[in-house]
Amino acid sequence: MMTRYLSWLPQRAASKIFRSITRLGFVQKAIDKEMNRMMADLENTVKPYGDKFQAFSRLPAAGVSRESILAIMNRINDQETAKWKNGFVSGAVYHGDAAHIDFLNRVYSINSQSNPLHSDIWPSAAKYESEIVSMTAGMLGADRTADEICGVVSSGGTESILLAMKTYRDRAREEKRITHPEMIAPVTAHAAFDKAAQYFNIKMVHIPVGQDLRADVAAAQQAITKNTVVMIGSAPSFPHGVVDPIAELSEIARKKGIGFHTDACLGAFVLPWAERLGYDVPAFDFRLPGVTSISADTHKYGYAAKGTSVILYRGQALRHYQYFTATDWPGGLYFSPSFAGSRPGALSAACWAAMVSLGETGYLEAARRILSTAAQIKEGIKRISDLHLLGDSLWVIAFSARDLNIYQVMEKMGQKGWSLNGLHRPACIHLCVTLRHAQPGVAERFLADLQGAVEQVKAHPREKGQTAPVYGMAAAIPFRGLVGDMLRRYIDLLYRVK
Ligand SMILES: Cc1ncc(COP(=O)(O)O)c(C=O)c1O
């Protein structure tokens, strides 16, 4: 069959292509085999409860008692809590003190039926959400600009980013008749921007970062075309925790009349306080006239429960492009500010409660503890001669190894109980420091374990583990589609009942 399709080619070229396709077939088979092996290995990690608790692939004939369900969940929760509570996890849980969690849970239970879609039944939801937006805007320069800063509450950083990108696309279509929109983002910008590009048919134009891992301003300038609708910078970036040159980038955008989005999902609730504490914080917020929107995650360093974020805009006119309204639907007049219809009002209530209960002094103190812990960890890493820090970050600490496989170091850390983030391009790992790491003894334990992990890898440099081969394979495969397949199979695994 294959030769028939190739028959119009000169014989030598045809047989050469045929040979390489056959070879690719072998390679594909070898990759499939390797992937199957990896997935089988991963299955036990991803699905650890198969032989401990009953799995329900269909509804139980009769309902299970509430007591049994609570007992099962408590047993599962006990197994999963110790790791993050004791500060073994990068990011993920940002506050985590028992009293804070209990308080948020009480707030949630009071408001558990609330749905902001029905603002007539729960006007409290509109109160909480408008105040969350206003308090966040106040932290991010709203009082230092003549423009009105407004926004909405979303479900998380990704939704805030998706909403903003849709907003810029729609504004450009309406006001500039741009039908082939493009966005410019540094390669280090969060993957949510690529997701937005894919979902909303916006061409992603990636620009490189320099040696300091910050966006290359000249490349950003050059990337602008008549179709550019928005430019992006991170404050700070997820991988290396560095703040892009947002003053320069946003000024370029302003002069060209295009939008500029600061992704402060990680930084919004730390950087303003870091600045007050005297740290060197580059400008990133609405004090810069070119910044037209900011994503700010309340469910990270805002210390709210998971499921809220804020997307802020310079001016109501821009925010209007985000809204959805349906005026002719038989179901009635319908509108919603964000992607979801019905939403959990209790999460907004808990977010409001977290912000109001912490207040300025609470956030300032939290930032002080996080930043001093991060400084201690960075100093410790500098003393491990086989490792080196990447970028000049405040609290997201990325590091790599000089002559070792950094993923093997991550693997050894995993065996000691640590859950760190593996990054690539360049190969490195990071620890996103939270209040969990500011507990007594955690930074010391991290550094001692890291030193131990490095020694172990040096002693057994060829030892194969679980994580290192996954990253090794992902880096080695030139066909990114195959890597994508690997990730899709991983998601399939998550949804397998076991
Ligand atoms: C800089 C940055 N932007 C966006 C996001 C996406 O946030 P979420 O996971 O809440 O969707 C993250 C998450 O870590 C982030 O660090």
Side-chain angles (χ1 to χ4, degrees), residues 31-243:
I31 289 172
D32 274 350
K33 204 171 145 197
E34 184 60 14
M35 271 201 206
N36 289 340
R37 192 192 60 73
M38 258 181 210
M39 291 302 152
D41 276 358
L42 285 171
E43 185 154 2
N44 297 326
T45 323
V46 173
K47 296 279 160 177
Y49 300 127
D51 44 9
K52 296 195 189 90
F53 302 101
Q54 189 184 352
F56 295 93
S57 60
R58 295 289 181 273
L59 278 172
V64 178
S65 74
R66 289 173 180 158
E67 293 71 36
S68 318
I69 292 172
L70 290 171
I72 292 169
M73 285 187 171
N74 279 324
R75 279 175 61 201
I76 292 182
N77 189 47
D78 287 347
Q79 292 186 36
E80 294 181 350
T81 302
K83 200 175 174 113
W84 62 256
K85 210 165 195 89
N86 296 324
F88 278 101
V89 172
S90 170
V93 176
Y94 294 80
H95 193 297
D97 278 2
H100 180 70
I101 296 173
D102 287 348
F103 170 60
L104 297 192
N105 289 345
R106 280 170 59 197
V107 173
Y108 188 97
S109 70
I110 293 170
N111 296 279
S112 70
Q113 301 310 300
S114 163
N115 180 356
L117 188 67
H118 303 293
S119 50
D120 51 337
I121 306 174
W122 290 283
S124 57
K127 167 185 164 60
Y128 299 139
E129 294 197 335
S130 60
E131 292 173 23
I132 292 168
V133 168
S134 187
M135 288 188 280
T136 308
M139 278 172 32
L140 298 174
D143 299 333
R144 306 273 291 276
T145 167
D147 298 319
E148 184 192 0
I149 305 302
C150 56
V152 309
V153 173
S154 81
S155 63
T158 299
E159 190 183 356
S160 289
I161 288 167
L162 292 176
L163 286 166
M165 297 305 107
K166 184 207 90 75
T167 297
Y168 286 114
R169 182 199 66 175
D170 291 359
R171 177 174 76 164
R173 192 166 46 200
E174 180 73 18
E175 296 181 7
K176 295 187 179 173
R177 301 278 164 250
I178 292 178
T179 51
H180 293 85
E182 298 177 8
M183 63 167 106
I184 298 171
V187 287
T188 48
H190 195 273
F193 291 99
D194 297 279
K195 196 176 195 176
Q198 205 182 89
Y199 280 12
F200 304 130
N201 245 327
I202 305 172
K203 182 180 167 195
M204 168 59 87
V205 180
H206 273 138
I207 53 160
V209 293
Q211 289 288 316
D212 58 0
L213 299 164
R214 302 165 79 222
D216 180 331
V217 175
Q221 173 98 55
Q222 273 176 6
I224 296 175
T225 71
K226 62 178 182 8
N227 288 325
T228 306
V229 300
V230 61
M231 193 187 276
I232 290 128
S234 310
S237 71
F238 170 82
H240 316 113
V242 297
V243 178

